[in-house]
Structure formats: structure tokens, C-alpha cells
């Protein structure tokens, strides 16, 4: 066994090695590692102490223990001192990093609402004033909701007007060709009276400067006792004036839809020339907004409404058409090509 003096030297060697290592440690992590290697429970200093006590003569054990304790104290004290020094240095570096508080900040680019979203929100708000509530339906619809219940049974010629996308392997499912199936969903779910406005995407195999295979419609449906064509006209006129301006007029042209009788095409006086005649309205002074009419009793039969007691009107307008008129946009493709510079032009 080593003499007390030899032991003293061994501890001194360890603490001096340790002191050198922590002096060059540049991070807290590095420092903690060195501390664990020497001062930890399994560290070199404690191991030496344990070994020395074990092999010391009984009368020497106490002195040997004290020698070890003194070395451990040194190791711990130096660790704390070095840790404070490292922290202080980091703090100073932080403070010295110069920050120019007068520099302008980084301006974040704000996102914009898509013009279709803007139009939809405005239209919904106008119809909400008249007591219409928003209803929605899925884009993938049943043949029944999209066609059959709207008085277009299989092989009905009117189905040809709507170039339908069918879902492969599911002969009963289509991408809805209009928002009118939301009428059916609403009436199947609720007894009259109903007053809904249903905006949403629709799909048809169609593509040119005024048609897109995916587009949006906004559907209106009002059913109650005593609803007349005059109510339809009043609601449409109110809406057109609120949305396009008080000077605008509407025109209802006789038309045909299988699910309305009588049916009409709704025109508004041209928003570009105010009815005088221009290129956009093809010199007619009128621009077509969409279809409308009184709900056909045949539709009521499909949703179990009493056609003797209730009458209703419905209309369906193209949202892109409305946005094009409102903002003077000449190509429907603009809405869908994802150019943010386009969307950024509209106030949200
Ligand atoms: N759903 C019809 C279409 O897309 C429009 C319409 C809706 C017509 C409601 C009359 C009543 O062509």
C-alpha cells in the first residue's frame, strides 16, 4: 500500500490534470463531461479514494479518507467556478452582439383571399340579410341527388346538357354537375319552410375561356306556403342591386330546366356599359347570370313535400361569372392557375 505522502501526490496529480482539462473546456457540455470523469461517482478521484481506503491499514483509513474528500472538494469547487465563468462569457457575448434597433423589420407578405372566396362571402352575406342560411353538400354525389330527384331520370335528354364526370367503378356516383343536389339534401333532411343558400364547387367536362372543368355555383332555394314567382323576382332584384349597384336591372327570359316550372334565365343589365351595348354583352346590353324558376312539383314528390300545400323557387348562378363581372376579369382560367399575383389584386 502507498504511503500517505505517495497518496497525496497521486491526488495532486489527478486534481492538476483535472484543472488543466476544465480550463480548456469551452462548452458547458464539455465541462460536465470532464467533471464526471474525475469528480463523478465513478470518477478517477473517487475510485482512487475507494481503493486507498480499502488497502489502508485500519489506523490510516480515516486520514486516507480525508485526503480523498479534500481532493473531491477541490474538484467540485473548481467545477462551479469554471461553470460560472463559461456562463458569464456567454452572457457577455450576447450583450456585445450589436443590435441596431433602428433597422426596419422584415415585412411579412400577407396572404390574400381568392376572388371566388371574396365573392362567395359577399353573396352569402347579402342572402343572409334575407334570412337564407348556408347549406353544403359533397362534391361526389349520388345519381339520385344530382339527377333523378331533380326530374332527370336515366336517359333523360337533359343529362346530355351537363357533361358529367362519372366515378369509375361506381355507376351511381358522379362529380356533381351543379349545386342543385343540395336542394334535394336539404328537403330530404328538413320539412318546409326552407330558405337556403348553397355555394360550392361543381364539375363538368368543359374547357374554354369562359368554362372550366371545375367551377363554382351558388344555389338558392326557398320553399313555404304561398311562395310565388314575384318573390323570386324580388329576391333576385334585391340581390343584384346590393351586389352590383342600385342602378342595375334584371331580365327574366323564359327557359327550361327539368326541375323548375316555369323556368327562366336571369340576365342583369351589362355592368360594363350599363345597358348601352358593348363587346362583353355582345351589344345586347344584358349579361346572363344563371338559371332560376319555381320548383317543379315532380321534385317535391321525390323529397316527400306536399306539392298541394307548398310552392318554392330556386336559382343557380355561376360564381366565376359573378366575379368576372364584378372585377372585370376576362378569362376564367385566371381563377385556377394559382398565380398569387392575380389573387393579390383583390381586397380582402
Ligand atoms: N342547376 C342549374 C344549372 O346548373 C341552374 C338552376 C338552378 C336552374 C336552380 C334553376 C334553378 O344549370
Amino acid at each position: 500500500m502507498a504511503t500517505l505522502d505517495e497518496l497525496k501526490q497521486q491526488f495532486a496529480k489527478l486534481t492538476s490534470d483535472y484543472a488543466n482539462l476544465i480550463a480548456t473546456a469551452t462548452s458547458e457540455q464539455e465541462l460536465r463531461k470532464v467533471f464526471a470523469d474525475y469528480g463523478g461517482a465513478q470518477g478517477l478521484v473517487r475510485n482512487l479514494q475507494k481503493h486507498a481506503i480499502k488497502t489502508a491499514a485500519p489506523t490510516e483509513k480515516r486520514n486516507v479518507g480525508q485526503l480523498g474528500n479534500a481532493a473531491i472538494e477541490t474538484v467540485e469547487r473548481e467545477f462551479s467556478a469554471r461553470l460560472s465563468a463559461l456562463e458569464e462569457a456567454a452572457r457577455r457575448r450576447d450583450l456585445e452582439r450589436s443590435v441596431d434597433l433602428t433597422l426596419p423589420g422584415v415585412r411579412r407578405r400577407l396572404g390574400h383571399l381568392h376572388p371566388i372566396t371574396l365573392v362567395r362571402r359577399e353573396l352569402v352575406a347579402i342572402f343572409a340579410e334575407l334570412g337564407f342560411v348556408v347549406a353544403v353538400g359533397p362534391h361526389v354525389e349520388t345519381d339520385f341527388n344530382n339527377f333523378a330527384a331533380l326530374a332527370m331520370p336515366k336517359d333523360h335528354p337533359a343529362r346530355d346538357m351537363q357533361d358529367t364526370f362519372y366515378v369509375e367503378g361506381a355507376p351511381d356516383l358522379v362529380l356533381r354537375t351543379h349545386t342543385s343536389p343540395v336542394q334535394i339534401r336539404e328537403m330530404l333532411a328538413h320539412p318546409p319552410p326552407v330558405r337556403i343558400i348553397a355555394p360550392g364547387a361543381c364539375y363538368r367536362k368543359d374547357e374554354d375561356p369562359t368554362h372550366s372543368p371545375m367551377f363554382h355555383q351558388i344555389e338558392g332555394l326557398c320553399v313555404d306556403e304561398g311562395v310565388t314567382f314575384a318573390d323570386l323576382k324580388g329576391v333576385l332584384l334585391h340581390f343584384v342591386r346590393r351586389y352590383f349597384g342600385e342602378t342595375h336591372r334584371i331580365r327574366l327570359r323564359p327557359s327550361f330546366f327539368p326541375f323548375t316550372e316555369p323556368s327562366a334565365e336571369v340576365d342583369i343589365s351589362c355592368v360594363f356599359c350599363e345597358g348601352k351595348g358593348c363587346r362583353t354583352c355582345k351589344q345586347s346590353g344584358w349579361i346572363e347570370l344563371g338559371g332560376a324558376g319555381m320548383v317543379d312539383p315532380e321534385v317535391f314528390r321525390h323529397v316527400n313535400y306536399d306539392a298541394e300545400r307548398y310552392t318554392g323557387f330556386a336559382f343557380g348562378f355561376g360564381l366565376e361569372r359573378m366575379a368576372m363581372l364584378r372585377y372585370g376579369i376576362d378569362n376564367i382560367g385566371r381563377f385556377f392557375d394559382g398565380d398569387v399575383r392575380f389573387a393579390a389584386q383583390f381586397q380582402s
Side-chain angles (χ1 to χ4, degrees):
M1 98 144 253
T3 66
L4 219 50
D5 270 348
E6 283 166 350
L7 252 187
K8 219 182 241 173
Q9 270 169 29
Q10 287 172 13
F11 277 122
K13 169 86 171 77
L14 282 183
T15 50
S16 110
D17 288 351
Y18 168 77
N20 286 336
L21 285 173
I22 63 168
T24 53
T26 50
S27 70
E28 182 177 333
Q29 198 189 11
E30 210 181 315
L31 177 64
R32 286 190 187 282
K33 167 88 171 62
V34 176
F35 174 68
D37 288 347
Y38 283 81
Q42 300 299 326
L44 294 172
V45 179
R46 280 193 199 278
N47 279 346
L48 176 60
Q49 184 190 36
K50 269 181 246 162
H51 177 76
I53 292 175
K54 211 188 276 168
T55 53
T59 50
E60 290 290 301
K61 283 190 195 292
R62 188 187 164 88
N63 290 335
V64 169
Q66 281 173 352
L67 261 187
N69 285 346
I72 287 162
E73 251 170 57
T74 308
V75 164
E76 286 175 347
R77 196 176 52 244
E78 289 179 359
F79 167 75
S80 305
R82 182 67 186 141
L83 185 60
S84 308
L86 281 181
E87 284 171 350
E88 179 57 26
R91 233 188 327 271
R92 189 151 326 121
R93 269 199 308 279
D94 250 4
L95 285 172
E96 279 167 4
R97 205 172 34 189
S98 58
V99 176
D100 183 349
L101 295 175
T102 64
L103 281 176
V106 180
R107 191 179 290 275
R108 300 256 166 237
R109 232 174 78 175
L110 270 188
H112 288 264
L113 291 179
H114 192 278
I116 294 297
T117 306
L118 291 176
V119 171
R120 189 193 70 221
R121 287 189 180 179
E122 268 189 81
L123 297 187
V124 163
I126 291 172
F127 283 104
E129 291 169 2
L130 298 172
F132 286 77
V133 296
V134 171
V136 290
H139 296 191
V140 178
E141 260 298 2
T142 60
D143 184 280
F144 178 79
N145 287 339
N146 195 81
F147 289 124
L150 290 162
M152 283 178 276
K154 288 230 152 55
D155 303 321
H156 190 284
R159 288 193 179 200
D160 291 347
M161 285 164 43
Q162 318 203 342
D163 301 296
T164 311
F165 287 110
Y166 288 88
V167 177
E168 216 171 75
D172 193 43
L173 294 179
V174 300
L175 294 190
R176 68 179 180 191
T177 57
H178 50 177
T179 41
S180 299
V182 183
Q183 290 187 31
I184 304 302
R185 291 181 168 272
E186 187 67 20
M187 291 191 282
L188 284 174
H190 304 286
V194 301
R195 219 182 303 170
I196 56 145
I197 194 84
C202 308
Y203 306 83
R204 289 184 200 180
K205 289 189 212 158
D206 235 353
E207 196 163 13
D208 63 40
T210 51
H211 294 92
S212 153
M214 192 273 269
F215 59 100
H216 298 80
Q217 287 190 337
I218 188 159
E219 188 89 9
L221 173 70
C222 169
V223 181
D224 202 348
E225 288 178 32
V227 173
T228 70
F229 201 90
D231 296 315
L232 168 61
K233 193 176 164 192
V235 164
L236 293 178
L237 185 60
H238 171 83
F239 149 69
V240 163
R241 288 190 166 159
R242 284 281 280 106
Y243 190 62
F244 290 102
E246 287 299 319
T247 57
H248 281 91
R249 289 169 300 143
I250 60 169
R251 178 173 80 169
L252 299 170
R253 274 182 296 122
S255 185
F256 174 80
F257 297 101
F259 39 92
T260 48
E261 181 60 35
S263 303
E265 301 279 354
V266 183
D267 296 340
I268 63 163
S269 49
C270 178
V271 296
F272 298 106
C273 63
E274 288 172 0
K276 287 193 270 300
C278 68
R279 220 170 52 111
T280 307
C281 63
K282 300 197 182 80
Q283 309 306 328
S284 72
W286 297 95
I287 290 179
E288 190 183 314
L289 277 188
M294 301 304 291
V295 180
D296 195 295
E298 171 72 3
V299 175
F300 284 154
R301 202 176 58 75
H302 284 291
V303 297
N304 303 313
Y305 271 23
D306 181 354
E308 296 298 319
R309 185 166 165 204
Y310 297 104
T311 51
F313 65 74
F315 57 85
F317 298 151
L319 276 187
E320 283 79 7
R321 168 56 69 89
M322 221 98 71
M324 288 167 92
L325 294 177
R326 177 72 180 252
Y327 299 119
I329 298 161
D330 59 0
N331 187 332
I332 198 169
R334 294 267 171 277
F335 293 118
F336 305 114
D337 60 17
D339 188 335
V340 288
R341 292 170 307 177
F342 169 71
Q345 294 174 57
F346 306 96
Q347 283 307 309
S348 35

